[in-house]
Amino acid sequence: MATDYGYDSGLGFPGTVRRHRLPAGLRAPFEGRTWREFGYVLLSLPISILMFTYAVTMVSLGAGLLVTFLGIPVFAAGLAGCRGLGALERARARGLLGLEVADPEPLRTRGSGFMAWIGAVLKSGTSWRTLLYSVLHLPWALFSFVVAVNFWVYGWALLTYPLWFWVFPAYAGQDGLQLYGDQTHHIYLDNPFEIGVTALVGLLFTLATPWIVRALTTVDRVMVHGLLGPTRLSARVVELESDRGVVVDTAAADLRRIERDLHDGAQARLVALAMDLGLAKEKLTEDPQAAARMVDEAHGEVKTALQELRDLARGIHPAVLTDRGLDAALSSVASRCTVPVQVEVDLPSRPAPAIEGIAYFTVSELLQNVSKHARATGAAVDVWRVEDRLLLQVVDNGVGGADVSAGSGLAGLAERLDAVDGILVVDSPVGGPTRVTAELPWRGDRV
């Protein structure tokens, strides 16, 4: 049985999966996707005529009035109307073609008032792209309409010819559908063989029509995505703004964690230590032995507080990473893991401090997951460089089942890597092994 991913042929919900007994070529004429795409082509002609007429009229009117002050406002109004029609086209493509196109960048006005709005409309690349779409889409919509309708009508008409060929002798005064005729010769499709061949040709047309329509709408998808969607630059700006928010949130979370660790850990111990030393000072003259015991306990508290401070400093940025690089720092992390870890770092030089720090904390968090959740008996860490990318890979032989989409720590790690144009790929089938690969940009070698 074939598996169809995407549109459900009956209900038409994107993302659903249906199993079909018929191959795709035979069921295509009856699928909901085919009829939606055909409906899109049919609607494209009247809508494109409306858009073309509006765009040409407003541009011509604005150009003709440029000798007066009214030309620029009319021109801006025409572009604004094209933007509205572009929004309609995106909604139509979303509903009938299943094409998800993000809205382009909004108007960015400098100041307030009507003149500021006019300037923003005229400077916006989206306005001019929608104008271009309004002009270019008409000839393509006309071509698509003619091709799709002809294939569709002739295909179904020929396929059903055995059901209606009797109309010709009964009402038209001829033996059947005329294939050829001149003053002396006439060829009609009237015998069973010719009728069967005609139906077979119609079947071929009917089976081919959905794929022809799909090819036509592919061009529409390209035009809608390229002219009515956001540009790569604007999409990149939105992505960077989102990444900046992730970085700010991550930094704030790290500061709260450090504050909490200091307050609940080393700071609490130091307060208790000060109290113990104060009591020992009071008992020094009355009970020297008790004071000595209290000083000895305070000494142990000092050692514990120092260890917590070292661990906290290592969590902020370990000194071994700054002094000796990733190889030594990752070896230090691996030595604290609960399972044996083999570390291999093959780098020609050291990356920028920021990338080096992210790589260190990524491997550190992945090894913590191995210790806490993997139930593994061994792990391996590999770090290497490929062109302008730094690659990290942590493999363990544990139980597997790790999933980024489950909202675990891996999801937060993926967001942190994405903030610096990094990628996190998790391959963790149930039963193991788990292979986590992180990819970071290689930036700014140290000097």
Side-chain angles (χ1 to χ4, degrees):
M1 293 186 296
T3 303
D4 182 34
Y5 296 92
Y7 278 105
D8 174 87
S9 59
L11 300 178
F13 294 113
T16 57
V17 178
R18 288 280 307 271
R19 294 185 180 275
H20 301 275
R21 298 184 181 275
L22 292 176
L26 294 180
R27 69 174 186 269
F30 309 99
E31 285 186 325
R33 173 179 178 178
T34 299
W35 289 95
R36 284 190 299 272
E37 290 175 341
F38 184 63
Y40 183 90
V41 173
L42 293 181
L43 289 175
S44 289
L45 182 59
I47 292 178
S48 63
I49 292 175
L50 172 65
M51 295 181 65
F52 181 87
T53 304
Y54 175 82
V56 172
T57 301
M58 294 300 292
V59 169
S60 301
L61 182 60
L65 292 175
L66 282 179
V67 294
T68 67
F69 175 76
L70 295 176
I72 295 178
V74 170
F75 205 82
L79 292 177
C82 288
R83 291 176 67 101
L85 293 173
L88 172 64
E89 283 293 275
R90 287 193 299 273
R92 189 167 68 97
R94 187 180 303 113
L96 296 178
L97 300 182
L99 179 64
E100 292 295 335
V101 179
D103 293 335
E105 62 276 11
L107 289 177
R108 300 182 182 274
T109 59
R110 295 183 178 180
S112 58
F114 183 62
M115 296 304 298
W117 176 82
I118 291 177
V121 172
L122 294 176
K123 293 179 181 178
S124 173
T126 302
S127 304
W128 296 98
R129 290 198 307 273
T130 53
L131 175 63
L132 182 62
Y133 177 88
S134 301
V135 174
L136 294 181
H137 193 249
L138 176 59
W140 175 252
L142 179 61
F143 174 80
S144 300
F145 182 89
V146 172
V147 171
V149 169
N150 277 279
F151 269 89
W152 200 274
V153 171
Y154 279 104
W156 283 102
L158 295 178
L159 178 61
T160 59
Y161 181 62
L163 302 178
W164 57 273
F165 78 96
W166 55 269
V167 172
F168 291 95
Y171 298 101
Q174 61 186 46
D175 296 333
L177 185 66
Q178 184 174 333
L179 183 63
Y180 172 78
D182 56 22
Q183 295 180 352
T184 59
H185 297 87
H186 299 278
I187 300 176
Y188 297 101
L189 303 174
D190 54 359
N191 62 61
F193 174 76
E194 293 173 346
I195 293 174
V197 171
T198 301
L200 179 60
V201 173
L203 177 62
L204 296 178
F205 271 69
T206 302
L207 294 179
T209 298
W211 306 103
I212 294 173
V213 173
R214 194 159 301 175
L216 295 173
T217 55
T218 298
V219 178
D220 286 284
R221 287 183 172 92
V222 173
M223 293 180 67
V224 171
H225 187 275
L227 295 177
L228 301 182
T231 62
R232 290 185 178 181
L233 178 60
S234 62
R236 180 60 176 163
V237 170
V238 173
E239 180 183 356
L240 290 176
E241 290 177 348
S242 175
D243 291 344
R244 181 182 62 184
V246 172
V247 171
V248 171
D249 293 341
T250 301
D254 289 339
L255 288 175
R256 289 193 298 269
R257 176 183 58 81
I258 294 171
E259 182 181 6
R260 183 180 63 252
D261 292 343
L262 283 173
H263 183 272
D264 298 339
Q267 180 179 350
R269 291 188 180 277
L270 291 175
V271 171
L273 173 63
M275 296 176 63
D276 292 342
L277 289 177
L279 293 175
K281 181 180 178 181
E282 294 177 357
K283 290 182 176 292
L284 186 61
T285 56
E286 300 175 359
D287 190 354
Q289 292 182 351
R293 287 194 303 270
M294 297 179 69
V295 170
D296 186 61
E297 293 175 358
H299 183 256
E301 289 291 327
V302 169
K303 291 182 178 180
T304 304
L306 288 175
Q307 183 61 40
E308 290 182 353
L309 288 174
R310 290 194 191 97
D311 293 339
L312 183 60
R314 188 183 296 114
I316 299 173
H317 194 86
V320 65
L321 178 62
T322 303
D323 297 338
R324 301 174 57 189
L326 271 176
D327 196 353
L330 295 182
S331 298
S332 175
V333 172
S335 66
R336 298 193 298 272
C337 190
T338 57
V339 300
V341 179
Q342 180 181 355
V343 178
E344 183 175 349
V345 178
D346 183 14
L347 296 177
S349 59
R350 295 181 63 177
I355 299 300
E356 193 175 54
I358 294 174
Y360 170 82
F361 288 112
T362 299
V363 174
S364 178
E365 187 165 342
L366 291 175
L367 289 181
Q368 287 181 15
N369 290 340
V370 172
S371 300
K372 295 177 181 179
H373 310 295
R375 288 183 284 179
T377 59
V381 176
D382 291 322
V383 182
W384 71 100
R385 177 183 178 181
V386 177
E387 296 180 351
D388 61 344
R389 307 295 286 181
L390 174 65
L391 282 88
L392 321 167
Q393 191 172 85
V394 178
V395 183
D396 68 77
N397 60 356
V399 296
D403 187 5
V404 177
S405 61
S408 60
L410 290 175
L413 189 59
E415 290 181 355
R416 293 191 181 193
L417 293 178
D418 184 65
V420 292
D421 291 337
I423 301 173
L424 185 72
V425 179
V426 179
D427 180 17
S428 181
V430 177
T434 296
R435 184 183 304 272
V436 182
T437 304
E439 184 178 326
L440 292 166
W442 183 279
R443 294 175 183 167
D445 294 359
R446 295 170 182 254
V447 295

